[in-house]
Amino acid sequence: MKLAIVGATGQTGSVIVDALLKSTTPKFEILALTRPSSLQKPEVVDLGKRGVAIVAADLGGTEDELAKLLKGTDIVISAIYGGSVAAELSLINASKAAGVKRYIPCFFATVAAPKGALMLRDMKEDVLNHIKNIFLPYTVIDVGWWYQVNLPRLPSGRIDYVAMETTDGIAGDGDVPFALTDLRDVGRYVARIIADPRTLNRMVFAYNEVFTHSQLYGLLEEISGEKLERRYVRAEAIAASIAEIEAAEPSPDSVEFVTLAKYQYWYSCGVRGDNTPEYARYLGYITTKELYPDMEWISLAAYFQDVIGGKGERVYKHLQDLLTVSNAKKA
Amino acid sequence: MKLAIVGATGQTGSVIVDALLKSTTPKFEILALTRPSSLQKPEVVDLGKRGVAIVAADLGGTEDELAKLLKGTDIVISAIYGGSVAAELSLINASKAAGVKRYIPCFFATVAAPKGALMLRDMKEDVLNHIKNIFLPYTVIDVGWWYQVNLPRLPSGRIDYVAMETTDGIAGDGDVPFALTDLRDVGRYVARIIADPRTLNRMVFAYNEVFTHSQLYGLLEEISGEKLERRYVRAEAIAASIAEIEAAEPSPDSVEFVTLAKYQYWYSCGVRGDNTPEYARYLGYITTKELYPDMEWISLAAYFQDVIGGKGERVYKHLQDLLTVSNAKKA
């Protein structure tokens, strides 16, 4: 199966490529569409060594050029930065022109209303509507909230090496359930979903387990033996922060944009309760629980044990650096 | 089953109410939400005599008042004018507050892309997104293109009594298939769909038959024994007309808006080929062919025979009058 991917070295793209390279049924022949300026980056060179064909491609170029690159490709995956999904439109048109059999737009996030809950989701809906407008076969894949961005710190500091700056509170009263997935499982889900005829022209929700924030804190206390501080952020306070940042119309590459996205995720998952299998089914998703009842996944408890055992890995390193610099400036 | 409807005396609403009144399994208890200024209209008084409860309701009023009226209602149907669907939002919010089990937004048209193909469909998509945002159970029902608005005139003039002003050409080359439905069947489809648990939170496409314009003209020639004139309107000419009217931003109650909608339907159904069962399935619709394989419908041939036999009925009488006045002014 011939597959092309944009964003192969990103946080989501890299776990997808890892899983695709491991897959044997089907076997994927992978093409990484790479910005000309990134061809010499170590992670790109490394991909090449691992059997991924690296091709220079510019999403800002002509659709004809992109279509030529995609000739004969079965599946195209976009795993670009969520703030730049509008840049996908040329790739989508080129995929249509090239006769691509299935296009996977950059979703890979929590379940939310198509419009009005998350700015990032709103932007993705516009992309999906364009796909539908040109009758391009597609599959939308959402994956819930990552364990990795929901890891509270421990008072002892022993998991600070992996905890994110952004995980510093509980949204609302902490009693709203949401679906969680280990980032390390995302690639395996994607590899299976994109080769499944049942998921063509459908939205699929891949997730591991459902927890409330209170339950998640309780579980980490149980496993770590430490007592966690619970800093609740009231729904009204989150809404006020969202309104304040929105009013300033931050650009997609700013710290403010990232902070806005964080608060919107909090509100959608922790207050509105959007990110659940029940709401997903209502919105038309099929879930991986129905599709692949045999499939194994990493439990939240196992993830906590890994992290406490020193086997955790920090995600969004560049984003962490950005936030650290920004906070240092404020201080 | 308790049901409330808005637009009960309109072109679509009235065939729906007729079918609901005839239905025995389930039996519907019908409430017609009616503008206070329309309570004394003959068609409203007539509805009351036929067993429909008439209640004064103002969609522009408070949601609390509307919610009180809807208390205990199972199903709400909106069959308001397509150009005013934004007025549904208060009814939707009230339905949520009242615990309505299924909301049927005003779709009842051809299959088209969610955005970018038909102005009316774009507006409906915004309404649907609001429904999804507040997690209100719903069913979208589209019904294809009516036989009644696709009836060409015969040179003899013998079916002019029912032909519409707007049916005066063939979009494109006439070889694009589209789905057609007899308006008289719409109510029966709706009565069945809204009581079907399989259609909850789904889009349903109800249609009778699939024809191209050329085939439709051919069939009418065969049945009437007359030779029809074929006036083809090229795709580029339709697109140019659309662009010209769009630029003037016509208000929803103007003749220009109706003309714009007509050209957009032509382009979507006759050039793009949106209004097909295949595209409907791609967009996530279930069709009545899968749902109700046993169900009978009026064929296009039978409709032509009815019309030639003097049993046709003119649709959109008010719209015809509007167009006649407008054309008279131009002449």
Side-chain angles (χ1 to χ4, degrees):
Chain A
M1 219 170 235
K2 281 192 74 175
L3 181 148
I5 182 166
V6 174
T9 60
Q11 193 70 67
T12 295
S14 56
V15 295
I16 293 174
V17 170
D18 286 350
L20 294 175
L21 285 170
K22 278 181 200 147
S23 166
T24 48
T25 47
K27 190 139 183 54
F28 294 101
E29 194 181 315
I30 309 170
L31 192 72
L33 302 182
T34 309
R35 252 186 296 238
S37 61
S38 301
L39 289 173
Q40 302 310 323
K41 282 192 180 170
E43 57 270 35
V44 173
V45 173
D46 179 59
L47 270 188
K49 285 183 191 152
R50 291 164 62 208
V52 173
I54 310 295
V55 174
D58 183 0
L59 294 190
T62 74
E63 284 166 21
D64 275 2
E65 282 165 346
L66 281 171
K68 261 181 225 157
L69 292 176
L70 296 176
K71 202 84 201 161
T73 302
D74 299 298
I75 300 170
V76 173
I77 299 180
S78 168
I80 62 177
Y81 169 55
S84 325
V85 290
E88 266 188 65
L89 295 184
S90 58
L91 187 66
I92 290 166
N93 292 337
S95 295
K96 178 74 181 177
V100 165
K101 299 199 189 80
R102 189 186 313 227
Y103 184 91
I104 320 293
C106 186
F107 272 65
F108 306 116
T110 59
V111 169
K115 286 281 178 180
L118 299 173
M119 174 191 53
L120 286 169
R121 182 65 185 80
D122 292 354
M123 293 160 68
K124 290 167 182 174
E125 185 68 10
D126 294 340
V127 171
L128 181 58
N129 281 337
H130 181 70
I131 290 171
K132 289 177 176 174
N133 190 299
I134 64 168
F135 205 166
L136 176 66
Y138 73 91
T139 302
V140 161
I141 304 174
D142 272 315
V143 298
W145 229 358
W146 298 347
Y147 293 165
Q148 282 78 2
V149 298
N150 275 290
L151 180 70
R153 287 169 192 273
L154 288 175
S156 66
R158 61 184 163 141
I159 60 169
D160 282 3
Y161 77 101
V162 64
M164 284 190 70
E165 286 267 340
T166 50
T167 317
D168 56 355
I170 293 174
D173 61 10
D175 291 330
V176 173
F178 46 78
L180 288 159
T181 304
D182 194 308
L183 172 59
R184 295 169 292 176
D185 287 325
V186 167
R188 290 169 51 241
Y189 283 124
V190 171
R192 196 143 175 190
I193 292 164
I194 60 174
D196 187 338
R198 295 173 297 172
T199 62
L200 193 64
N201 305 324
R202 293 296 304 263
M203 301 175 75
V204 181
F205 184 37
Y207 71 97
N208 290 5
E209 300 187 339
V210 176
F211 276 81
T212 67
H213 255 136
S214 297
Q215 291 167 341
L216 183 151
Y217 273 63
L219 182 66
L220 184 56
E221 286 183 333
E222 205 183 300
I223 291 174
S224 67
E226 297 188 36
K227 182 80 193 154
L228 271 73
E229 186 205 350
R230 283 166 171 75
R231 192 177 73 80
Y232 294 94
V233 185
R234 281 184 310 115
E236 298 73 23
I238 305 172
S241 297
I242 290 172
E244 191 189 329
I245 308 178
E246 269 180 347
E249 298 180 12
S251 80
D253 54 359
S254 65
V255 172
E256 290 71 24
F257 188 93
V258 173
T259 310
L260 174 57
K262 166 193 143 173
Y263 282 128
Q264 288 187 332
Y265 277 117
W266 274 22
Y267 201 87
S268 172
C269 298
V271 178
R272 283 176 48 101
D274 287 338
N275 182 36
T276 64
E278 184 195 7
Y279 191 52
R281 276 185 215 102
Y282 163 82
L283 290 174
Y285 289 81
I286 339 174
T287 82
T288 48
K289 303 296 181 198
E290 293 123 55
L291 288 168
Y292 317 117
D294 60 307
M295 197 159 163
E296 289 181 4
W297 67 84
I298 303 166
S299 69
L300 182 61
Y303 168 70
F304 285 159
Q305 275 149 357
D306 281 353
V307 164
I308 291 171
K311 289 188 287 176
E313 242 181 90
R314 198 167 227 207
V315 293
Y316 281 139
K317 185 78 183 60
H318 70 285
L319 204 144
Q320 298 286 93
D321 296 344
L322 197 71
L323 288 167
T324 309
V325 169
S326 164
N327 288 340
K329 271 189 201 157
K330 279 187 211 153
Chain B
M1 222 172 236
K2 283 193 71 176
L3 181 147
I5 183 166
V6 174
T9 60
Q11 193 69 67
T12 295
S14 57
V15 295
I16 293 174
V17 169
D18 286 349
L20 294 174
L21 285 170
K22 279 180 199 149
S23 167
T24 48
T25 47
K27 189 137 184 54
F28 295 100
E29 194 180 313
I30 309 170
L31 193 73
L33 303 183
T34 310
R35 253 186 297 237
S37 61
S38 301
L39 289 174
Q40 301 312 322
K41 283 192 179 170
E43 58 270 35
V44 173
V45 173
D46 178 62
L47 271 187
K49 285 183 192 153
R50 293 165 62 209
V52 173
I54 311 293
V55 175
D58 182 359
L59 294 191
T62 74
E63 284 165 22
D64 276 1
E65 283 165 345
L66 281 171
K68 259 179 225 157
L69 293 177
L70 296 176
K71 201 86 201 162
T73 303
D74 299 298
I75 299 171
V76 173
I77 299 181
S78 167
I80 61 178
Y81 168 54
S84 327
V85 291
E88 267 188 63
L89 295 183
S90 59
L91 187 67
I92 290 166
N93 292 336
S95 295
K96 177 75 182 178
V100 164
K101 299 198 188 81
R102 189 185 314 225
Y103 184 91
I104 318 293
C106 184
F107 272 63
F108 306 117
T110 59
V111 169
K115 286 280 176 181
L118 299 173
M119 176 190 54
L120 287 169
R121 180 65 184 82
D122 291 355
M123 294 161 67
K124 291 168 181 173
E125 184 68 11
D126 294 341
V127 171
L128 180 58
N129 280 336
H130 181 71
I131 290 172
K132 290 179 176 173
N133 192 300
I134 65 169
F135 205 164
L136 175 66
Y138 72 91
T139 301
V140 161
I141 304 175
D142 273 315
V143 298
W145 228 358
W146 297 347
Y147 295 165
Q148 283 77 2
V149 297
N150 275 289
L151 180 70
R153 287 169 192 273
L154 288 175
S156 66
R158 60 183 163 142
I159 60 171
D160 282 3
Y161 76 100
V162 65
M164 285 190 70
E165 286 269 340
T166 51
T167 317
D168 56 355
I170 293 175
D173 61 10
D175 290 331
V176 173
F178 45 78
L180 288 159
T181 303
D182 194 307
L183 172 60
R184 295 169 291 174
D185 288 325
V186 167
R188 291 169 51 240
Y189 284 125
V190 170
R192 195 142 177 193
I193 292 165
I194 61 175
D196 187 338
R198 296 172 299 172
T199 62
L200 193 64
N201 306 323
R202 293 296 304 263
M203 300 173 77
V204 181
F205 184 37
Y207 71 98
N208 291 5
E209 300 187 339
V210 176
F211 276 80
T212 65
H213 254 138
S214 298
Q215 291 167 341
L216 183 149
Y217 272 62
L219 182 67
L220 184 55
E221 285 184 335
E222 205 182 300
I223 292 174
S224 67
E226 297 188 37
K227 182 81 194 153
L228 271 73
E229 186 206 351
R230 286 166 169 76
R231 194 176 73 80
Y232 293 95
V233 185
R234 283 184 309 114
E236 299 72 25
I238 305 172
S241 298
I242 291 172
E244 189 189 329
I245 307 177
E246 268 180 349
E249 299 180 10
S251 80
D253 54 359
S254 64
V255 172
E256 289 72 24
F257 188 93
V258 172
T259 309
L260 175 57
K262 166 194 143 172
Y263 282 128
Q264 289 188 332
Y265 277 117
W266 274 23
Y267 201 87
S268 172
C269 298
V271 178
R272 283 177 48 101
D274 286 339
N275 182 36
T276 65
E278 182 195 10
Y279 191 52
R281 278 186 212 101
Y282 163 82
L283 291 174
Y285 289 80
I286 340 176
T287 82
T288 47
K289 301 297 179 196
E290 294 123 55
L291 289 168
Y292 317 116
D294 61 307
M295 196 158 162
E296 289 179 6
W297 67 85
I298 303 166
S299 68
L300 182 62
Y303 168 69
F304 285 158
Q305 275 149 358
D306 281 353
V307 165
I308 292 171
K311 290 188 285 175
E313 242 181 89
R314 199 166 226 210
V315 294
Y316 281 139
K317 186 76 185 61
H318 69 286
L319 203 142
Q320 298 285 95
D321 296 344
L322 198 69
L323 288 167
T324 309
V325 170
S326 165
N327 289 341
K329 272 189 201 156
K330 278 185 211 153

